[in-house]
Structures are given as C-alpha cells and as structure tokens.
Amino acid sequence: MVLDVWFTEKHEDKQGISLKVKGILYSGQSEFQKIDVIDTEAYGKTLLLDGLVMTTEKDEFFYHEMISHIPLLAHPNPEKVLIIGGGDGGTVREVLRHPSVKEIVLCEIDGAVIDVSKQYLPSIACCLDDPKVKIHLEDAVKYIKDKKNCFDVVLIDSTDPLGPGVGLFTEEFYTNARDSLMENGVMAAQTESPIACQKEFKLINSLLNKVFSVVKPYFAPVPTYPGSYWSWTFCSGGGQPGICDDNLAAKLEKSTKYFNREIYSAVFAVPNYVKQLMASEEAVK
Ligand code: AG3
C-alpha cells in the first residue's frame, strides 16, 4: 500500500501550505521547541520548528539570498556580522560569499537546530564550521543588551513572533540591535508576509520606524511560507540601501539563484496595497 501523507502548515486556521511527505527523517523536542525534518516530494528536505516551515532544500535560496546580499551590499566594507537565529546555517553560507567579512557571530537560542540542520540539511548548513563563524548558544535578547558599537551588519533571521522568537519583535530589542551597530552599520530583519501576516508586518514596520531613521521593506517569493510572498526590512541610522561594490554584485550573481542586479533594481518597490496598508491608521483584522 502506498500511503498518501501530507503535511500542512495551517495559518490562522484560514489557509495552509501543503507538502506531500515522502518520509519523516527526524522528530524531537528540544529545550525550546519541537524540531522535525521531513522529506517532501516537491521541496525536498524541510525543517519544521513547532510545526512551522523554516526552510526547505528547494526554496531556501530566496530567503537566504535576500536576507544577506541586500544589506551586505549596502555596506562599504562589512567585516563583522551578527546573525540572530539562523541555526540552519543558510544565512551564514550566503554572508560568507562576501570577501570582506572577517567574523560572523551566530547567536542562536537552540543548539539542537544547528545539530539537526548539520545532520539532515548539509546543503544549507554546510558552512557552520567555517573558522570565521563563532557560535553563541544564547537568547539574543540577552546577548545584544551589552553589545554597543560592535557590528557592521546585523541580520535577524528569526522564526515568527511566537514561542522562543517573540522577544525578537519588540521596540526594546530593535533599539539594542541598533545600538550594537557601528557607525555606517546596517540591519535587515525577516518581517513576515505582507499578504498572509499583515498585522505582524505592519506592527514590525511601525516598531522599526520608531527606532531607525531609514526603514525600507523589500519583497520576494518564498513559496513554502504563509502567503508564499515574504518581506525583509532594511534599516539603518542614515545610510540608504544600494550596491556599494558593483564588481562584487556582478561576481555574486554568477552563482546566486535569485539575486541579481536586475532583481535588485526593483527590490524596494512597494506594491500599492502595501503602501496603503502601512499608511492606514486602522488595525488589520
Ligand atoms: N525564518 C522563518 C521565517 C518564518 C516562516 N514562518 C512560517 N513558516 N510560518 C527562516 C529561517 C531560515 N533560516
């Protein structure tokens, strides 16, 4: 008998993303969350945290390239990078493509996510043992409090504003993240779906606007996330986004799967409905 088994991530009990399951490779409960790795017909191996899709072999490139290259290219010489969350290693892999980077601090609350990713998702976790990577297993809310003027780039590669990730979506945390940046420092955060998670998207953007003088959301597809359409937000104390080193961008786009300079040229274009959403006083239902 061939079983027809599907995994569905339900979003607010109103919609869902479904993946046909070939097998369950790992299932465990860490100190912080439930961790599963399933093998799927359409998207390959898929990491789930508390039943939510974090990354899949087939579409991870959209997310990891966008969270990394947009902010790193905006900095003239990114040497020290802090990644918050990101235990699967996809963001580390992309950041390491920038030759100026000397040190990456990965502050991940849950060491089990790192171990499981190394074992089951080697194409994503491949660079976690790179000598430039320093892993801190700690809650970033605590870690960042006393880090002042330390990083050129901070990347918030978090889960949704639920469970262990909730403290990473507050004004206090964003203020500490801002203060951890050196002069000319830039930040990018994953900021949820502008179609499926409008309330969260709007709230996060209004918090970021209280803390940073430049706040620019940008958008790309991530087929296996709610809405299949995702956002990240670039933030800085004054520096606008842009490509500081065109030679590097040209070199990167030879091996990236989504990012290239044509995509970049429209990446900060905000769709009209999102402009309206952000301008409206009304809370989103
Ligand atoms: N960060 C998770 C994005 C949130 C996805 N949400 C969801 N499926 N409900 C991705 C981590 C990849 N490094």
Side-chain angles (χ1 to χ4, degrees), residues 27-67:
S27 243
Q29 174 72 43
S30 77
E31 194 186 333
F32 300 98
Q33 55 208 337
K34 179 146 187 350
I35 305 178
D36 299 280
V37 180
I38 57 175
D39 195 9
T40 70
E41 294 281 353
Y43 283 92
K45 291 182 198 130
T46 298
L47 173 68
L48 310 174
L49 295 182
D50 284 338
L52 305 177
V53 175
M54 287 300 119
T55 199
T56 81
E57 284 179 316
K58 190 167 169 189
D59 73 350
E60 56 93 7
F61 65 89
F62 291 102
Y63 181 97
H64 293 123
E65 291 181 12
M66 293 310 266
I67 198 170

Side-chain angles (χ1 to χ4, degrees), residues 9 52-54 63-64 88 157-160 190 225-226 230:
E9 177 184 327
L52 305 177
V53 175
M54 287 300 119
Y63 181 97
H64 293 123
D88 53 74
D157 183 7
S158 65
T159 54
D160 293 341
Q190 79 85 359
Y225 287 174
W230 210 249

Side-chain angles (χ1 to χ4, degrees), residues 2 25 35 43 51 96 116 134 137 144 169 181 184 193 208 213 243 251 269 274:
V2 180
L25 304 177
I35 305 178
Y43 283 92
L96 283 169
V116 169
K134 309 273 172 293
L137 297 180
I144 201 125
F169 294 85
L181 291 170
N184 301 325
S193 170
L208 291 170
S213 45
I243 295 185
K251 205 173 145 216
V274 179

Side-chain angles (χ1 to χ4, degrees), residues 66-101:
M66 293 310 266
I67 198 170
S68 307
H69 302 313
I70 305 300
L72 267 94
L73 285 168
H75 193 286
N77 186 34
E79 292 187 350
K80 255 195 110 179
V81 179
L82 170 65
I83 300 173
I84 290 166
D88 53 74
T91 303
V92 164
R93 185 195 64 206
E94 293 305 312
V95 169
L96 283 169
R97 293 178 191 251
H98 291 252
S100 60
V101 171

Side-chain angles (χ1 to χ4, degrees), residues 250-267:
K251 205 173 145 216
L252 284 172
E253 74 182 20
K254 291 198 177 121
S255 56
T256 46
K257 292 189 181 162
Y258 185 70
F259 171 83
N260 60 38
R261 284 167 293 168
E262 287 162 64
I263 292 279
Y264 186 89
S265 66
V267 83

Side-chain angles (χ1 to χ4, degrees), residues 15 23 25 45 47 63-64 97-98 107-108 111 125 148 156 165 174 203 215 227 233 239 243:
Q15 54 179 308
L25 304 177
K45 291 182 198 130
L47 173 68
Y63 181 97
H64 293 123
R97 293 178 191 251
H98 291 252
C107 183
E108 162 64 62
K148 306 289 171 216
I156 307 183
Y174 293 136
L203 176 70
V215 176
T233 302
I243 295 185

